[in-house]
PDB file of all heavy atoms in Angstrom:
ATOM      1  N   GLY F 435     147.706  99.984 101.760  1.00  0.00           N
ATOM      2  CA  GLY F 435     148.887  99.599 100.947  1.00  0.00           C
ATOM      3  C   GLY F 435     149.049 100.499  99.750  1.00  0.00           C
ATOM      4  O   GLY F 435     148.417 101.497  99.497  1.00  0.00           O
ATOM      5  N   HIS F 436     150.195 100.196  99.000  1.00  0.00           N
ATOM      6  CA  HIS F 436     150.473 100.899  97.749  1.00  0.00           C
ATOM      7  C   HIS F 436     150.664 102.368  97.952  1.00  0.00           C
ATOM      8  O   HIS F 436     150.287 103.208  97.219  1.00  0.00           O
ATOM      9  CB  HIS F 436     149.416 100.667  96.714  1.00  0.00           C
ATOM     10  CG  HIS F 436     149.012  99.241  96.565  1.00  0.00           C
ATOM     11  ND1 HIS F 436     149.780  98.247  95.920  1.00  0.00           N
ATOM     12  CD2 HIS F 436     147.861  98.588  96.974  1.00  0.00           C
ATOM     13  CE1 HIS F 436     149.194  97.097  96.018  1.00  0.00           C
ATOM     14  NE2 HIS F 436     148.054  97.282  96.624  1.00  0.00           N
ATOM     15  N   ARG F 437     151.407 102.737  99.081  1.00  0.00           N
ATOM     16  CA  ARG F 437     151.520 104.137  99.438  1.00  0.00           C
ATOM     17  C   ARG F 437     152.707 104.288 100.399  1.00  0.00           C
ATOM     18  O   ARG F 437     153.306 103.328 100.855  1.00  0.00           O
ATOM     19  CB  ARG F 437     150.252 104.650 100.129  1.00  0.00           C
ATOM     20  CG  ARG F 437     149.952 103.974 101.476  1.00  0.00           C
ATOM     21  CD  ARG F 437     148.617 104.291 101.969  1.00  0.00           C
ATOM     22  NE  ARG F 437     147.601 103.590 101.052  1.00  0.00           N
ATOM     23  CZ  ARG F 437     146.331 103.857 101.134  1.00  0.00           C
ATOM     24  NH1 ARG F 437     145.878 104.804 101.934  1.00  0.00           N
ATOM     25  NH2 ARG F 437     145.474 103.241 100.296  1.00  0.00           N
ATOM     26  N   ILE F 438     153.047 105.479 100.703  1.00  0.00           N
ATOM     27  CA  ILE F 438     153.987 105.836 101.768  1.00  0.00           C
ATOM     28  C   ILE F 438     153.217 106.501 102.966  1.00  0.00           C
ATOM     29  O   ILE F 438     152.451 107.442 102.732  1.00  0.00           O
ATOM     30  CB  ILE F 438     155.093 106.839 101.202  1.00  0.00           C
ATOM     31  CG1 ILE F 438     155.745 106.246  99.957  1.00  0.00           C
ATOM     32  CG2 ILE F 438     156.100 107.097 102.326  1.00  0.00           C
ATOM     33  CD1 ILE F 438     156.378 104.933 100.127  1.00  0.00           C
ATOM     34  N   MET F 439     153.468 105.930 104.123  1.00  0.00           N
ATOM     35  CA  MET F 439     152.809 106.440 105.333  1.00  0.00           C
ATOM     36  C   MET F 439     153.839 107.180 106.193  1.00  0.00           C
ATOM     37  O   MET F 439     155.044 106.909 106.195  1.00  0.00           O
ATOM     38  CB  MET F 439     152.163 105.316 106.136  1.00  0.00           C
ATOM     39  CG  MET F 439     151.203 104.440 105.421  1.00  0.00           C
ATOM     40  SD  MET F 439     149.690 105.361 104.905  1.00  0.00           S
ATOM     41  CE  MET F 439     148.921 105.418 106.500  1.00  0.00           C
ATOM     42  N   ARG F 440     153.408 108.204 106.940  1.00  0.00           N
ATOM     43  CA  ARG F 440     154.205 108.887 107.907  1.00  0.00           C
ATOM     44  C   ARG F 440     153.661 108.616 109.304  1.00  0.00           C
ATOM     45  O   ARG F 440     152.480 108.775 109.609  1.00  0.00           O
ATOM     46  CB  ARG F 440     154.143 110.454 107.638  1.00  0.00           C
ATOM     47  CG  ARG F 440     154.912 111.227 108.556  1.00  0.00           C
ATOM     48  CD  ARG F 440     155.102 112.653 108.170  1.00  0.00           C
ATOM     49  NE  ARG F 440     153.847 113.404 108.312  1.00  0.00           N
ATOM     50  CZ  ARG F 440     153.423 114.044 109.430  1.00  0.00           C
ATOM     51  NH1 ARG F 440     154.237 113.992 110.512  1.00  0.00           N
ATOM     52  NH2 ARG F 440     152.367 114.763 109.403  1.00  0.00           N
ATOM     53  N   VAL F 441     154.608 108.229 110.167  1.00  0.00           N
ATOM     54  CA  VAL F 441     154.314 107.995 111.580  1.00  0.00           C
ATOM     55  C   VAL F 441     154.837 109.066 112.445  1.00  0.00           C
ATOM     56  O   VAL F 441     156.081 109.321 112.436  1.00  0.00           O
ATOM     57  CB  VAL F 441     154.854 106.577 112.001  1.00  0.00           C
ATOM     58  CG1 VAL F 441     154.479 106.306 113.489  1.00  0.00           C
ATOM     59  CG2 VAL F 441     154.394 105.489 111.047  1.00  0.00           C
ATOM     60  N   ASN F 442     154.009 109.763 113.171  1.00  0.00           N
ATOM     61  CA  ASN F 442     154.428 110.737 114.225  1.00  0.00           C
ATOM     62  C   ASN F 442     154.992 110.000 115.376  1.00  0.00           C
ATOM     63  O   ASN F 442     154.261 109.234 116.086  1.00  0.00           O
ATOM     64  CB  ASN F 442     153.300 111.622 114.591  1.00  0.00           C
ATOM     65  CG  ASN F 442     153.657 112.763 115.528  1.00  0.00           C
ATOM     66  OD1 ASN F 442     154.392 112.528 116.471  1.00  0.00           O
ATOM     67  ND2 ASN F 442     153.152 113.934 115.271  1.00  0.00           N
ATOM     68  N   VAL F 443     156.302 110.103 115.635  1.00  0.00           N
ATOM     69  CA  VAL F 443     156.897 109.321 116.732  1.00  0.00           C
ATOM     70  C   VAL F 443     156.523 109.811 118.087  1.00  0.00           C
ATOM     71  O   VAL F 443     156.771 109.116 119.052  1.00  0.00           O
ATOM     72  CB  VAL F 443     158.460 109.320 116.521  1.00  0.00           C
ATOM     73  CG1 VAL F 443     158.887 108.613 115.287  1.00  0.00           C
ATOM     74  CG2 VAL F 443     159.008 110.824 116.555  1.00  0.00           C
ATOM     75  N   LEU F 444     155.985 111.001 118.189  1.00  0.00           N
ATOM     76  CA  LEU F 444     155.569 111.502 119.486  1.00  0.00           C
ATOM     77  C   LEU F 444     154.315 110.942 119.976  1.00  0.00           C
ATOM     78  O   LEU F 444     154.028 110.658 121.208  1.00  0.00           O
ATOM     79  CB  LEU F 444     155.498 113.033 119.464  1.00  0.00           C
ATOM     80  CG  LEU F 444     156.781 113.764 119.156  1.00  0.00           C
ATOM     81  CD1 LEU F 444     156.583 115.315 119.112  1.00  0.00           C
ATOM     82  CD2 LEU F 444     157.830 113.447 120.181  1.00  0.00           C
ATOM     83  N   ASN F 445     153.292 110.723 119.098  1.00  0.00           N
ATOM     84  CA  ASN F 445     151.976 110.230 119.482  1.00  0.00           C
ATOM     85  C   ASN F 445     151.473 108.986 118.739  1.00  0.00           C
ATOM     86  O   ASN F 445     150.419 108.516 119.028  1.00  0.00           O
ATOM     87  CB  ASN F 445     150.933 111.371 119.303  1.00  0.00           C
ATOM     88  CG  ASN F 445     150.802 111.876 117.906  1.00  0.00           C
ATOM     89  OD1 ASN F 445     151.218 111.250 116.955  1.00  0.00           O
ATOM     90  ND2 ASN F 445     150.271 113.062 117.845  1.00  0.00           N
ATOM     91  N   GLY F 446     152.293 108.477 117.837  1.00  0.00           N
ATOM     92  CA  GLY F 446     151.902 107.312 117.088  1.00  0.00           C
ATOM     93  C   GLY F 446     150.935 107.504 115.961  1.00  0.00           C
ATOM     94  O   GLY F 446     150.499 106.549 115.322  1.00  0.00           O
TER      95      GLY F 446
END
Side-chain angles (χ1 to χ4, degrees):
H436 313 287
R437 67 193 67 193
I438 306 302
M439 304 293 285
R440 178 171 72 86
V441 181
N442 184 316
V443 294
L444 297 178
N445 59 19

